[in-house]
Amino acid sequence: MARAAAILELAFLCLASSAQAEDGGSAFRFFERLCLSRGPDYERTVATAETSGWLPLPAEVLVGLAPLANPEAVEGWAISGNDLPQRMILEISKHTLSGKLVHACTIVAFGINSIEFEKAFFQRTDGEAIQQARSATHVHKLFSLDLSGRSELVTLTVPVESNGADNLMASSIAEAEWEN
């Protein structure tokens, strides 16, 4: 967690230096569209990034953002411009967990209202709190949810005290779904 926090802070400095506070609801809609509504999907996300022309990021930055250890594959991008009003990082990874293929999708949003993000999350999901860990600066929350009969875990890392221009990390983790 400390390594991820250090990488996150470096990414914040690189991407958010000119960012202003943005709508947390739009950041949630981006997260919902790419990571949550149909579950994280490595191949679909990579294809979306290629067609959107997002800026690829080095793997050493992304490994620290993956919500699970030892990813088998990881890709990620810096996103800004037409895709949403604020700058973000999107990371997608594949893992094997208890013999099952799992995909994880993470966004890092800079300078947003984290309270609005969480409000949109609870309005759109049935997220059930499982665990919460608090540090001096951040709260890491773990939720279980059922979307269209599919179980997902969602993690949110938000500041202890929101100032309306927060940095936030959200991840969705689910078993890979194979379509026939």
Side-chain angles (χ1 to χ4, degrees):
M1 181 90 165
R3 180 175 174 223
I7 291 170
L8 195 57
E9 290 299 323
L10 176 62
F12 292 158
L13 293 174
C14 293
L15 290 175
S17 59
S18 63
Q20 296 183 11
E22 296 287 350
D23 172 30
S26 65
F28 175 76
R29 286 187 295 279
F30 184 81
F31 175 68
E32 181 181 37
R33 181 171 58 91
L34 287 164
C35 301
L36 199 59
S37 65
R38 297 188 310 177
D41 183 302
Y42 188 89
E43 287 76 18
R44 181 182 70 227
T45 305
V46 169
T48 299
E50 288 173 359
T51 59
S52 299
W54 296 335
L55 176 67
L57 293 173
E60 54 271 8
V61 170
L62 301 169
V63 170
L65 297 178
L68 299 170
N70 305 315
E72 296 168 14
V74 63
E75 298 280 339
W77 307 268
I79 303 168
S80 63
N82 295 335
D83 296 292
L84 65 161
Q86 64 268 16
R87 296 176 182 174
M88 300 178 79
I89 291 175
L90 173 67
E91 176 271 338
I92 187 80
S93 54
K94 290 183 187 181
H95 308 262
T96 300
L97 190 62
S98 301
K100 295 181 180 181
L101 181 61
V102 173
H103 291 189
C105 181
T106 299
I107 66 155
V108 181
F110 308 100
I112 68 162
N113 186 320
S114 62
I115 293 171
E116 287 180 8
F117 186 99
E118 285 192 82
K119 182 178 176 183
F121 172 74
F122 289 117
Q123 288 174 340
R124 303 283 296 166
T125 73
D126 66 348
E128 179 182 329
I130 297 175
Q131 186 178 32
Q132 182 171 302
R134 187 180 207 86
S135 74
T137 59
H138 289 87
V139 180
H140 181 78
K141 304 173 182 183
L142 178 63
F143 300 93
S144 173
L145 40 120
D146 183 57
L147 293 170
S148 305
R150 183 188 65 253
S151 295
E152 290 186 50
L153 291 176
V154 172
T155 65
L156 294 178
T157 303
V158 297
V160 169
E161 293 186 32
S162 173
N163 67 9
D166 310 314
N167 299 324
L168 169 140
M169 185 165 31
S171 298
S172 174
I173 306 161
E175 187 174 344
E177 302 253 342
W178 299 99
E179 294 184 20
N180 296 324

